[in-house]
Amino acid sequence: MLILTKEDIKKCITMQETIETCKGAMLSYSLKKTNIPLRTNISVANHNGQVLFMPGSVNSNTESLGLKIVSVYPNNTEKKLPAVPATMLTLDEKTGIVNGLLDGTYLTALRTAALQGLATDLLARKDSKIASLIGTGGQAYEQAHALLTVRKLDELRIVGRNFEKTKNFVEILKNDFSNFETKIIAYKDANDAVQNSDIITTVTNSKTPTFDSKFVKKGAHINGIGSFTPEMIEIPVDLITKENKIYLDTYDGVLSEAGEILSALDKQHITTKDFKGELGELLLDFSLGRTSEDDITIFKSVGTAVLDIVCGSEIIKKAEKNNIGINIDI
């Protein structure tokens, strides 16, 4: 079994390569070449936590098999621990033997950001110059990385609940991503940030919308990445209408877990027939995508194990090829 740390994974795969790997994963899913059960969500109420078990298999050009265990413990930040710790196991599909154990916390951040990058690349206007990122938690760093990777931005605006933390986070981004030549700015107020933004990405656990719909410009693209339960809502529900173009990572996941989508359906703002489709379906038929510079496009993701399984398997293959990580007998 090969054990890979965060630093090992970074040596194995780039953001652009991860975006391409996620593209293949979403195509396989929409082509029904996967077996991805809905994740099991166990609440640990005494510690304000949730633990999710995400198994699955992919039977496409390359077979993949695995299980991710991911926890959501918001109070961990007070202990200087990851709020979303995770572990990824990959299995040899021919023998069923575990052949990889990866830092799932970093893998989650990487593949989640790459999926957002894929959606943004497919749906945002090609001339997008200003992006806003709402949220400065454990997912935010790679989310910024993906935005910078898929569009040549003039400005990346960062918003968090704690302005001092936001400013510190911005300094890290400026230092690490100076090669992109993008002006990275800390904002106190999300509504100030989203005004004139071509791309809005929100990655929080909020139970109320993180910005007001009246500040969204025509032609904007919006990514709802953080919320993953029926109680969580990041995107204003009044934006989830048949007048706007709504895309999902998976129908099964979003229609079971996405609070803003479920609320919009309940309020009859939209019906399931009004969704434009999954990202995989868009990759199969680009006519489903943006048709006007004024279209408001919205991508909602709650996450799917197919991304972890395909990305994890690809990383293990690269690690084996390049002798990266620690190999142990089990």
Side-chain angles (χ1 to χ4, degrees):
M1 180 172 69
L2 196 58
I3 299 176
L4 300 180
T5 65
K6 174 181 178 178
E7 293 307 315
D8 292 330
I9 295 172
K10 285 183 175 182
K11 294 173 186 175
C12 292
I13 197 165
T14 66
M15 176 58 75
Q16 187 60 56
E17 288 171 337
T18 311
I19 290 171
E20 290 302 312
T21 302
C22 287
K23 183 184 294 186
M26 298 315 294
L27 276 169
S28 294
Y29 184 89
S30 291
L31 287 169
K32 302 188 185 307
K33 294 183 177 181
T34 65
N35 180 6
I36 308 293
L38 279 177
R39 60 192 170 199
T40 300
N41 188 337
I42 295 176
S43 177
V44 188
N46 288 346
H47 301 283
N48 189 29
Q50 298 176 68
V51 182
L52 299 92
F53 296 86
M54 302 169 64
S57 64
V58 179
N59 183 20
S60 190
N61 295 333
T62 56
E63 293 179 302
S64 305
L65 182 64
L67 165 70
K68 188 174 79 170
I69 303 169
V70 57
S71 304
V72 181
Y73 275 62
N75 297 345
N76 275 4
T77 54
E78 299 167 8
K79 304 170 186 176
K80 297 185 178 179
L81 294 171
V84 190
T87 301
M88 181 70 200
L89 297 174
T90 60
L91 289 78
D92 184 313
E93 58 278 357
K94 297 181 180 67
T95 64
I97 294 173
V98 174
N99 63 359
L101 188 153
L102 299 84
D103 178 344
T105 305
Y106 179 64
L107 178 64
T108 300
L110 180 65
R111 65 80 157 158
T112 304
L115 181 66
Q116 175 264 109
L118 174 60
T120 299
D121 197 28
L122 292 172
L123 295 168
R125 287 172 49 148
K126 299 302 181 185
D127 61 354
S128 296
K129 293 298 180 184
I130 299 175
S132 292
L133 176 60
I134 303 171
T136 58
Q139 300 282 321
Y141 181 94
E142 294 299 340
Q143 291 288 328
H145 191 183
L147 287 167
L148 293 166
T149 298
V150 298
R151 286 293 182 272
K152 190 173 181 180
L153 298 173
D154 291 337
E155 287 185 19
L156 176 58
R157 302 169 177 177
I158 309 294
V159 186
R161 288 179 298 179
N162 182 312
F163 190 53
E164 288 303 313
K165 180 181 176 181
T166 303
K167 289 191 291 185
N168 291 337
F169 179 60
V170 163
E171 290 306 311
I172 293 170
L173 296 180
K174 285 180 178 179
N175 180 68
D176 291 359
F177 298 130
S178 58
N179 57 307
F180 286 100
E181 299 181 353
T182 298
K183 189 175 182 181
I184 305 176
I185 310 165
Y187 272 71
K188 283 186 178 181
D189 184 85
N191 288 328
D192 289 340
V194 301
Q195 290 187 60
N196 300 316
S197 284
D198 302 298
I199 304 164
I200 302 166
T201 297
T202 176
V203 56
T204 74
N205 291 330
S206 180
K207 294 184 178 180
T208 58
T210 57
F211 60 94
D212 193 311
S213 62
K214 70 182 180 183
F215 296 106
V216 177
K217 65 181 278 189
K218 287 184 178 180
H221 171 65
I222 300 166
N223 297 300
I225 304 297
S227 61
F228 62 93
T229 72
E231 295 75 33
M232 294 179 182
I233 294 178
E234 291 187 288
I235 300 172
V237 175
D238 58 358
L239 283 175
I240 313 296
T241 66
K242 59 186 176 182
E243 286 75 31
N244 296 328
K245 293 192 169 183
I246 317 297
Y247 303 83
L248 321 173
D249 57 355
T250 69
Y251 280 106
D252 285 348
V254 169
L255 295 180
S256 298
E257 300 174 335
E260 48 268 273
I261 299 295
L262 294 173
S263 180
L265 288 169
D266 183 60
K267 294 179 179 179
Q268 299 183 336
H269 291 179
I270 197 168
T271 71
T272 54
K273 293 181 180 179
D274 295 318
F275 297 126
K276 293 301 176 182
E278 298 173 336
L279 276 195
E281 292 173 325
L282 175 58
L283 288 163
L284 291 167
D285 182 1
F286 287 109
S287 69
L288 296 173
R290 175 182 290 276
T291 56
S292 164
E293 296 294 273
D294 287 341
D295 284 344
I296 292 177
T297 57
I298 299 172
F299 172 61
K300 178 57 198 169
S301 170
V302 296
T304 168
V306 70
L307 299 168
D308 303 291
I309 292 162
V310 174
C311 289
S313 295
E314 179 66 15
I315 290 165
I316 287 294
K317 289 174 185 174
K318 287 178 176 288
E320 289 173 342
K321 181 179 179 180
N322 296 292
N323 296 314
I324 296 171
I326 299 171
N327 224 324
I328 65 168
D329 292 327
I330 55 171

